Amino acid sequence: MGRVYNFSAGPAALPEQVLMKAKDELLDYRHTGISVMEMSHRSKEFASIIEGAEANLRKLLAIPSNYKVLFLQGGASLQFAMVPANLMKRGKAGYILTGVWAKKAYQEGKRFGEATVLASSEDQNYSYIPDPSLISVPEDLDYVYICENNTIYGTKYPCLPSCHDIPLVADMSSCLLSEPIDVTKYGLIFAGAQKNIGPAGVTVVIIREDLIPSDLPESIPTMLRYKTHADASSLYNTPNCYGIYMCGLVFEHLLELGGLDKMKELNEQKARLLYEALDASTLFVATARPDSRSLMNVPFVIDPKKVTDENKRKELEKKFLIEAENKGLIGLKGHRSVGGMRASIYNAMPLSGVEALVGEINRFTKENA
Ligand SMILES: *Cc1c(COP(=O)(O)O)cnc(C)c1O
């Protein structure tokens, strides 16, 4: 089988042009005679790779100069702990619970101080975002924490909560680079690379400089301090060199395509096409509430209102997944907590992949409704 359309939530599809370029440079990186995988992280070649990656990310997101960009390891999950370890100065933070990733972050926050739940959508299996304009934020918090795009449930904040001057911390693992954002609205943004940025093993952190503490308790390990990594430009220890190189290729590729305005336009086009097909289907239904829908992750099931027998629904979902896979549409199985299907349509998913999926949804509806 050749290349297929990969709808996996993460690790997810990478742009084919990026993979081809990596292949071309795999054995002999730009006449060095070695692979990036074999290269010292202290070499001038790697310095230009990581500096170039940072410069292009800054360009893509228009990151102001008073923000640091870090390329760390430990995944988004390590940030759940690093955020409170570094930012809970007065020992108080507010969390908005919109899924298991936000909840895991909240549980880590509780290890470091008083973590308060400001709002939650757990009552409806996280199928919506609590109205940000109705969330009241106490003034004595060190930060407000959100998970901006909820990969498992396919929800995304329609707008940000207003936080006065309290820093907003956002897990943007599954939406960073999908559209332009105003970085100045955030104190800290982080994202595991393996959704929309690059291969697994790199975590991008964008942090406002004044939030990097230099007076942390002795008990906080060196590697868990943002200052360690900021002072060393992400080279305190050996970073994920090859992963950073791949992220750099993706940044370059996105700039060549026209930047994030262009990505937003394409992503909206793909998402619209898919939601319209699901809304029109007499068999399927999208599970996220329409006002909270994600551009990147689209979970859907056989509609319980249309097929009331649960076993029949499960049977149809299984059949759909098998038939889709046979047509080269893979990675569509939903997360176990939502069930059904999920199409992750990150930047690297071409319009033709979404068109193929829509064709399959329409065909399956016609044959099985
Ligand atoms: C995938 C994901 C995570 C977990 O990322 P790891 O890198 O595996 O720790 C956290 N938050 C969100 C929103 C995710 O999509």
Side-chain angles (χ1 to χ4, degrees):
M1 204 187 228
R3 299 272 299 164
V4 295
Y5 291 120
N6 178 10
F7 293 90
S8 171
L14 285 163
E16 207 163 291
Q17 297 93 322
V18 164
L19 294 173
M20 294 298 289
K21 176 131 195 211
K23 182 185 174 189
D24 285 345
E25 296 182 334
L26 184 65
L27 291 176
D28 177 8
Y29 177 74
R30 302 188 192 176
H31 307 295
T32 55
I34 59 173
S35 171
V36 173
M37 269 183 267
E38 305 168 300
M39 194 177 274
S40 165
H41 61 297
R42 307 284 176 205
S43 64
K44 67 176 193 313
E45 287 82 11
F46 188 72
S48 91
I49 289 172
I50 192 168
E51 284 161 17
E54 175 175 339
N56 283 337
L57 182 62
R58 285 184 177 277
K59 209 181 286 176
L60 280 167
L61 287 166
I63 301 173
S65 59
N66 64 323
Y67 283 74
K68 290 277 189 195
V69 172
L70 309 175
F71 296 103
L72 306 184
Q73 301 187 63
S77 298
L78 186 59
Q79 294 310 307
F80 299 167
M82 276 181 79
V83 164
N86 286 269
L87 267 51
M88 259 202 199
K89 293 195 177 81
R90 289 172 295 186
K92 281 188 178 179
Y95 284 77
I96 301 176
L97 302 191
T98 52
V100 299
W101 296 125
K103 197 165 182 181
K104 283 187 171 168
Y106 161 69
Q107 281 158 346
E108 292 301 301
K110 283 201 290 189
R111 295 180 190 277
F112 293 87
E114 195 181 313
T116 311
V117 177
L118 301 177
S120 168
S121 55
E122 194 171 6
D123 59 335
Q124 310 254 345
N125 195 29
Y126 302 119
S127 59
Y128 70 100
I129 300 291
D131 186 346
S133 68
L134 298 179
I135 296 171
S136 83
V137 173
E139 306 222 353
D140 62 345
L141 299 179
D142 290 317
Y143 60 87
V144 171
Y145 183 100
I146 63 170
C147 179
E148 191 151 331
N149 184 80
N150 295 273
T151 325
I152 296 173
Y153 317 90
T155 62
K156 184 194 168 215
Y157 280 70
C159 61
L160 297 175
S162 67
C163 301
H164 327 295
D165 287 332
I166 300 169
L168 180 64
V169 173
D171 176 355
M172 298 187 71
S173 292
S174 49
C175 61
L176 195 64
L177 303 183
S178 64
E179 59 182 340
I181 54 167
D182 180 356
V183 173
T184 65
K185 293 215 165 85
Y186 304 83
L188 189 156
I189 293 166
F190 67 86
Q194 72 273 24
K195 312 294 169 50
N196 200 31
I197 303 176
V202 179
T203 311
V204 173
V205 174
I206 302 165
I207 181 171
R208 215 174 65 208
E209 268 168 356
D210 63 287
L211 295 174
I212 301 174
S214 45
D215 54 351
L216 285 179
E218 276 301 308
S219 60
I220 306 292
T222 309
M223 279 291 285
L224 299 190
R225 295 165 180 248
Y226 288 123
K227 191 169 191 316
T228 301
H229 302 289
D231 288 352
S233 304
S234 302
L235 294 171
Y236 170 74
N237 71 326
T238 320
N240 179 347
C241 299
Y242 198 76
I244 292 167
Y245 157 74
M246 289 294 292
C247 291
L249 293 185
V250 171
F251 301 153
E252 226 170 69
H253 175 68
L254 295 180
L255 285 168
E256 277 164 17
L257 289 181
L260 299 191
D261 286 313
K262 184 69 189 173
M263 294 325 295
K264 179 184 166 87
E265 188 188 313
L266 293 170
N267 287 327
E268 283 178 344
Q269 189 185 4
K270 289 184 293 180
R272 197 181 316 120
L273 194 64
L274 184 48
Y275 285 120
E276 276 173 5
L278 292 168
D279 291 345
S281 168
T282 52
L283 195 57
F284 296 102
V285 65
T287 53
R289 205 169 77 183
D291 65 358
S292 306
R293 284 175 171 178
S294 165
L295 272 186
M296 297 277 95
N297 311 97
V298 183
F300 56 101
V301 294
I302 299 284
D303 192 346
K305 292 200 189 100
K306 291 157 191 159
V307 180
T308 48
D309 178 359
E310 192 185 343
N311 288 331
K312 179 79 188 153
R313 287 202 301 276
K314 286 211 168 118
E315 211 175 279
L316 283 168
E317 285 169 354
K318 212 167 140 191
K319 185 169 174 229
F320 177 80
L321 288 168
I322 291 169
E323 292 179 3
E325 189 155 335
N326 286 339
K327 294 193 172 141
L329 309 173
I330 73 142
L332 281 165
K333 193 167 168 39
H335 191 272
R336 63 189 180 280
S337 62
V338 178
M341 284 68 65
R342 169 178 50 177
S344 294
I345 49 174
Y346 300 119
N347 287 344
M349 174 58 63
L351 179 63
S352 59
V354 175
E355 285 168 344
L357 175 59
V358 163
E360 190 55 15
I361 287 169
N362 290 340
R363 182 199 63 80
F364 194 89
T365 300
K366 210 175 283 166
E367 288 175 20
N368 296 278

